[in-house]
Amino acid sequence: MFPRMRPGMNKVAEQCLASLVFHVEFLRKESTKNHAIFDTFVFSQAGVVDKLLPFVTTAIDGSIHVTGVPPHVAQMSMQEKLGEDVEKSLAEVRSELAAMRQEYAMLRQEVGTQRPRGVTDSEPGNHVSMDFSMQEQTKLMGIAESIAKKRENWQSPQARVEMNNDECHG
């Protein structure tokens, strides 16, 4: 049917020709009269389109297998959704990380500036001596556990990636 077409491209050319013939009314209505498409054999020779039109149909006759959304379109759609999900998750992680950093700074300041009764420095640069009641020890253990949990969360792979990204991007 298409003698100058490369081997294997006849089916594509048939589909293109069928589309042109099927949409001929639209093309004539929306294109200018001197458009290059109308200089082609199909449109310039009288009666060619009219002879081809009965062979063009939108009915499925078994030779065309309707598969739905083409795989590349479905894949692009999934990639867009994945990108949106990643952006959303990243924003949530950044927000949580900022809140954790703020809470950590407050805890660090609280622990560093408020010494419970009975805590004294022994010598500069040496250890701290402590004499606590049970209630004070329980309170300090709670603070230490809170700090340990925060540190554990910060040391997760996701948090390290986020902190590295923050450091790189300012």
Side-chain angles (χ1 to χ4, degrees):
M1 179 176 230
F2 302 97
R4 294 185 186 152
M5 190 64 60
R6 285 189 319 183
M9 295 298 292
N10 277 341
K11 285 286 187 193
V12 173
E14 285 178 22
Q15 294 294 319
C16 291
L17 177 59
S19 182
L20 288 172
V21 170
F22 183 79
H23 295 99
V24 70
E25 292 304 319
F26 173 82
L27 293 170
R28 286 182 177 152
K29 179 180 169 190
E30 297 296 323
S31 301
T32 61
K33 295 212 185 278
N34 60 353
H35 192 279
I37 192 81
F38 300 119
D39 292 335
T40 63
F41 174 79
V42 174
F43 293 102
S44 64
Q45 299 299 312
V48 173
V49 171
D50 294 331
K51 287 179 185 174
L52 293 173
L53 202 51
F55 297 103
V56 177
T57 180
T58 57
I60 299 172
D61 62 0
S63 64
I64 298 175
H65 300 286
V66 178
T67 59
V69 178
H72 68 282
V73 173
Q75 195 171 31
M76 284 178 16
S77 178
M78 287 188 304
Q79 286 176 339
E80 284 179 21
K81 174 75 171 112
L82 182 61
E84 291 168 4
D85 290 348
V86 167
E87 288 291 328
K88 183 179 176 185
S89 296
L90 189 56
E92 290 173 6
V93 167
R94 284 183 176 147
S95 175
E96 286 182 36
L97 185 60
M100 288 171 50
R101 284 182 173 155
Q102 188 176 16
E103 188 175 345
Y104 179 74
M106 289 180 356
L107 284 172
R108 192 169 179 191
Q109 183 179 7
E110 182 179 323
V111 169
T113 59
Q114 298 178 1
R115 293 196 177 164
R117 194 170 21 100
V119 177
T120 58
D121 287 332
S122 54
E123 293 178 26
N126 288 340
H127 300 286
V128 174
S129 64
M130 295 177 261
D131 182 24
F132 300 114
S133 68
M134 275 308 252
Q135 186 178 10
E136 291 169 329
Q137 289 178 15
T138 303
K139 182 179 178 183
L140 285 174
M141 288 302 291
I143 292 171
E145 287 175 10
S146 176
I147 291 171
K149 283 181 186 177
K150 297 295 181 185
R151 180 175 289 148
E152 183 178 300
N153 288 338
W154 283 21
Q155 291 176 347
S156 73
Q158 291 173 341
R160 282 197 303 267
V161 167
E162 180 63 30
M163 286 192 299
N164 287 339
N165 284 344
D166 285 351
E167 289 172 6
C168 290
H169 300 294

